[in-house]
Amino acid sequence: MAVTIKQMSLLVGTLGVLSFIFGVVAENKKPAAGTPIPGKSGVICKYPSDPSVVLGYLSTAFLFASIVAGYLSLFYPYKGKYVPHSVFFRSTSFVVFFNIALFSGGLGATLLLWPTITEQLHLSHNVHNSPDAKCLTAKTGLLGGGAFVSLDSSLFWLVALMLADNAREDYFEELEESREGLDGQEYDGPDHLKSSA
């Protein structure tokens, strides 16, 4: 079964929405701080149940899947018809949205990974030698911001896919017109075309 543009756009959109949902839930489930428990030589931080690390990694994974699917969807040979990449990059609009989609995908991944890794480090290194240590968590708002940028990234991939589809149609129309223009011509050697009429 051949893959269609509608199927690819649905895949890119679904992956982007899943990344968004996991990112927002991770932001909402992240605890504000841990509870410091004084010990003999410092402080032990006790954190409540924190699924934000797992949810943050899931959100990042779906974002990367959306980026890969978005990129592949642009250049996939639909109906077995290959289009040279240079055809797409002739369009200024396509170049702009392609670069915005790449940039927003990278920014979204940064905003998701940074607090997720930070939170994981806080949870795993919860013993502090200083008696004044605070039981911090990752910066609030980054996971939610990353979730929104992830959704934006998938939307930019969808716009780039629409522009790529337009470029693909224009390319095949130009090919068809050039074939029709040669229908009344007969090729006679490398130097000239002779009319068959």
Side-chain angles (χ1 to χ4, degrees), residues 18-31 50-53 55-56 59 143-144 147:
L18 286 172
S19 175
F20 169 73
I21 290 170
F22 281 120
V24 168
V25 174
E27 179 67 51
N28 289 333
K29 295 289 184 184
K30 187 181 78 61
D50 184 5
S52 63
V53 173
L55 293 170
S59 179
L143 281 167

Side-chain angles (χ1 to χ4, degrees), residues 22 44 55 116 176 183:
F22 281 120
I44 297 172
L55 293 170
T116 302
E176 192 62 35
D183 278 350

Side-chain angles (χ1 to χ4, degrees), residues 95-117:
V95 171
V96 168
F97 279 98
F98 177 79
N99 285 316
I100 291 173
L102 280 177
F103 175 77
S104 60
L107 180 62
T110 303
L111 289 173
L112 289 171
L113 279 175
W114 180 12
T116 302
I117 293 170

